[in-house]
Amino acid sequence: MKKIKQIKTKEEAIKLLNIALEHEWAVSLEYTIHAYSMPKGKFFYEDPIMKYKTDARAQTIQIGIDEMYHSLQLGIIITQMGGIPSFETDEVVRYPRIIDNLKRDKETEDIVTDLYQSAEFKEGDFPKIQNMVLNISYDEVRHSKQFVAMMEEMKKNRFEDALCFQPNPENEDKEEVQLLHEITRTENELMHRYLKYVLLFSEHQDLSQRLFKNAIDHMRHWDKNSGILVKMGDVIQIENAEKDSNGVERSHSPMPSLYAGEDRPTALETLIPVEETLLAKYEKLISLVPDGEIKDQLQLHMALNREHLFTQEWLLKNVQKIKGLK
Ligand SMILES: [Fe+2]
Ligand SMILES: [Fe+2]
Ligand SMILES: [Fe+2]
């Protein structure tokens, strides 16, 4: 993570928020990937904040969602300040052992807490931004404590050597598994693409709220598909990751960093073909999958994407009806 401590100008404030944003994008993906690499309902721990016995996997997903909301908050404020939200990300890593991922998650929480809490502002400058970074930092403090509790419980129960799911090599020849990986990548891309436009149009609630709904749907599909991959004997991939000789996967580009479209007409135009491609891939996949729970879930994703396509086509037509709207 880059560092910045002294915040004297608006440019420096935007820089701080963008450094944080690149971290938040990365961890929102990283935690969800770590969660979907471990079994459901196996590693319970006593949550130190909620005082409740909780599944480490489920809580890791919840923390990933918190990070997505941090990204959204930061991106909206950067846009309001006249800056451009970054879609670059910090590195995303997956270790073969579950506990090593939790250790990394705890460490990244502490690093970002330090970024937020050590930022020095001149008294009276950017009070709302100071307040926001402090507020976010205490979510990170909570996350760090939660990851510590998960690790301690795993150690106590001698689960240190429990491994993440591994892809079955036979799946390389299975069309349905490969297609689901492709679809899942597109769901991830569409979620972030919609979020870019949510940020871009955040000055007006109508368009940004509509696009936000679709972003959330794609986030859920990405998440659910990650669970389906496990049921198919595979595991969610990290985009553009390289695996070293110890089996550690690292990626500096776990999601695309650039999305076309800079105003309402051009942004809305770019969404329709991606939605259409995604729909066609779901249709193909559904034809390959036997009847049952997985098929039902995929059909639900496809149905919601049809809804998106309907909405997007009308959003575009409506924007084109109004002369001079940018
Ligand atoms: Fe965060
Ligand atoms: Fe966090
Ligand atoms: Fe969609």
Side-chain angles (χ1 to χ4, degrees):
M1 187 193 289
K2 296 169 205 153
K3 275 265 154 187
I4 184 166
K5 205 167 170 161
Q6 301 289 331
I7 314 295
K8 295 195 184 91
T9 62
K10 189 169 96 171
E11 286 64 39
E12 285 166 345
I14 292 173
K15 194 171 167 205
L16 168 71
L17 301 182
N18 258 327
I19 290 172
L21 180 57
E22 292 182 3
H23 159 87
E24 299 290 354
W25 289 135
V27 290
S28 66
L29 290 173
E30 195 167 45
Y31 297 165
T32 318
I33 288 166
H34 290 171
Y36 279 103
S37 302
M38 63 201 266
K40 190 176 185 171
K42 181 158 184 197
F43 304 116
F44 286 91
Y45 74 106
E46 178 73 20
D47 191 279
I49 313 292
M50 299 189 284
K51 311 281 183 212
Y52 185 73
K53 201 173 173 199
T54 310
D55 183 357
R57 177 186 184 269
Q59 187 55 31
T60 302
I61 296 169
Q62 281 307 314
I63 297 176
I65 294 170
D66 288 348
E67 311 300 7
M68 179 55 68
Y69 280 103
H70 292 166
S71 308
L72 184 71
Q73 265 188 293
L74 293 163
I76 288 174
I77 301 299
I78 292 167
T79 308
Q80 278 181 7
M81 293 177 80
I84 298 170
S86 173
F87 279 79
E88 302 280 330
T89 74
D90 287 354
E91 191 179 44
V92 168
V93 180
R94 177 167 53 193
Y95 291 98
R97 292 195 326 169
I98 292 166
I99 202 157
D100 293 329
N101 288 329
L102 296 174
K103 186 165 169 270
R104 173 177 166 84
D105 299 340
K106 191 257 177 219
E107 285 165 0
T108 47
E109 290 293 347
D110 294 346
I111 292 169
V112 77
T113 301
D114 182 61
L115 175 82
Y116 288 130
Q117 294 189 349
S118 67
E120 287 173 14
F121 296 84
K122 218 170 81 203
E123 212 182 309
D125 266 3
F126 310 110
K128 288 180 187 164
I129 291 184
Q130 287 192 48
N131 194 203
M132 177 177 77
V133 298
L134 282 176
N135 289 342
I136 295 179
S137 83
Y138 282 92
D139 291 336
E140 316 300 16
V141 167
R142 166 170 62 83
H143 297 162
S144 180
K145 288 178 191 295
Q146 291 174 310
F147 285 128
V148 168
M150 291 177 204
M151 279 189 285
E152 279 172 358
E153 190 65 28
M154 279 190 83
K155 281 183 198 153
K156 211 165 89 189
N157 295 313
R158 310 216 169 153
F159 284 135
E160 281 117 311
D161 291 327
L163 295 177
C164 290
F165 294 125
Q166 293 293 320
N168 182 340
E170 281 173 22
N171 286 340
E172 276 168 36
D173 302 321
K174 284 193 184 151
E175 197 185 356
E176 68 275 22
V177 178
Q178 297 313 314
L179 198 51
L180 184 54
H181 278 301
E182 245 179 74
I183 286 174
T184 305
R185 264 195 298 280
T186 309
E187 293 283 12
N188 181 37
E189 179 183 338
L190 264 169
M191 161 178 58
H192 290 98
R193 190 184 272 267
Y194 272 105
L195 284 175
K196 172 183 161 164
Y197 309 134
V198 170
L199 304 179
L200 195 60
F201 308 127
S202 56
E203 97 293 345
H204 198 282
Q205 62 80 29
D206 168 56
L207 197 53
S208 69
Q209 290 295 328
R210 290 171 183 283
L211 299 174
F212 184 59
K213 176 193 177 287
N214 292 3
I216 293 291
D217 285 346
H218 286 292
M219 180 171 80
R220 287 211 186 98
H221 298 168
W222 184 78
D223 172 299
K224 290 278 176 209
N225 286 348
S226 303
I228 296 176
L229 280 162
V230 171
K231 288 183 186 155
M232 287 182 168
D234 217 275
V235 66
I236 179 76
Q237 292 171 339
I238 306 177
E239 288 181 40
N240 304 308
E242 294 204 9
K243 204 177 203 168
D244 70 15
S245 56
N246 297 318
V248 183
E249 298 164 86
R250 295 176 187 277
S251 173
H252 287 279
S253 46
M255 63 188 219
S257 59
L258 290 172
Y259 305 102
E262 296 305 327
D263 57 25
R264 288 177 183 234
T266 54
L268 292 172
E269 249 164 28
T270 67
L271 288 164
I272 294 170
V274 193
E275 289 282 10
E276 283 170 340
T277 310
L278 184 61
L279 254 177
K281 283 183 186 166
Y282 269 113
E283 274 165 13
K284 176 86 208 278
L285 177 59
I286 285 164
S287 76
L288 298 170
V289 172
D291 286 346
E293 201 192 347
I294 291 178
K295 193 172 190 151
D296 292 346
Q297 186 72 49
L298 294 170
Q299 274 169 335
L300 180 64
H301 296 183
M302 188 169 70
L304 274 169
N305 277 320
R306 288 199 179 114
E307 185 196 282
H308 293 176
L309 194 55
F310 177 90
T311 306
Q312 291 310 126
E313 281 170 348
W314 280 104
L315 291 183
L316 179 61
K317 281 179 194 155
N318 291 343
V319 96
Q320 287 165 342
K321 282 179 196 164
I322 299 171
K323 228 180 143 190
L325 182 60
K326 280 286 172 191

